[in-house]
Amino acid sequence: MEMVLDILSWIFLLAGGAFCLIGGLGLLRMPDVYTRLHAVSVIETLGMGCIILGLVLQAGFTLVAAKLIIIAALILLTAPVATHALAQAALHAGILPKLDHDKTGGHIAGEDEPSNS
Amino acid sequence: MLIGAFCSFGVAALASRMELLDKEGHPIYLLGRALWYWPWLIWEIIKAGIDVSKIILSPKMPISPTLINVRSSQKSAVGIVTYANSITLTPGTVSVELEGDEITVHAITRAGADDLAEGHMDRVVSRFEGGGAT
Amino acid sequence: MMFAVATIAVLITIAMVLARAILGPSLFDRVLAGNTVGSLAVLTLALIGFVTGRPEFLDIAILYTLLNLIGTIAVLRYFKMAEPVNPAQARD
């Protein structure tokens, strides 16, 4: 039992570290702000989730595990708010995303007339 | 500790008597349905996250950034915010702008935008919010 | 041992994100990098708590999660209110 838990937390911690590294690599490679947001969301969901899950398996059924789950829930609740605020602020500041396909027809939600400026 | 528990219960009771609480402030009635919505969302996050990781790791980086408007069919503010947050939480799609029932989404690939436009997640969130099947 | 490996991976990621904060052409790249460093710092705090066997670090991690969001929103609101000094510079 102990052995199985150890192996599982090894797997989860390694996977979490790997996802964090992938996200960091993506943050360096992606061409513009909006695509970098996607790289960061890999870190904040999968990387964070795997590492916390690995730690919970090591902590067992204790107060420490409860605190870890609170941390995971808080990050999952706050990360999209920060990401959305960042994307919205970047759009309002006039930074337009580099697009391959624009299916909005130049129309952004909340604006009356199409703006292509 | 007993005094603390007594105080918090007292404040909650007073607040509900004074009708300060509304459904939006404390959506506890969603908790039952959240128990099957969250696992579904986590499964979506895992699938999308592995897709984005493959894109990052492949040497050519086959991204095709797409901006798309989607309509949300939720009725309450809680439902729309849940939908927008779920979109943002899923790697590969970020909700950029939100007004009324229209959400502008930035997706990293064309396929991700098409999946979102198909509206599967919208239907699941609507069911989570309203309870009725759509 | 396993905690040390994960900690090293997270620290390398922090270094990459800091590189983006230094390079990052626009202001929003830097804010994004700052937010990401905050999230990774929470993970580092949790992991260090396990490495040293002192789980008190977790309380600090909970606090840091909340402060991270507030800090990011505050900075973004500030830049939304402020007029860009030089629009061409803010653009890229």
Side-chain angles (χ1 to χ4, degrees), chain C residues 43-67:
Chain C
L43 284 182
T44 318
L45 275 172
L47 282 166
I48 282 179
F50 275 82
V51 167
T52 58
R54 291 176 59 198
E56 295 89 27
F57 280 101
L58 287 177
D59 298 328
I60 308 171
I62 292 176
L63 238 162
Y64 207 88
T65 315
L66 295 170
L67 284 178

Side-chain angles (χ1 to χ4, degrees), chain A residues 3-16:
Chain A
M3 188 76 183
V4 175
L5 278 184
D6 273 357
I7 290 171
L8 270 180
S9 20
W10 260 110
I11 291 171
F12 277 118
L13 284 173
L14 284 182

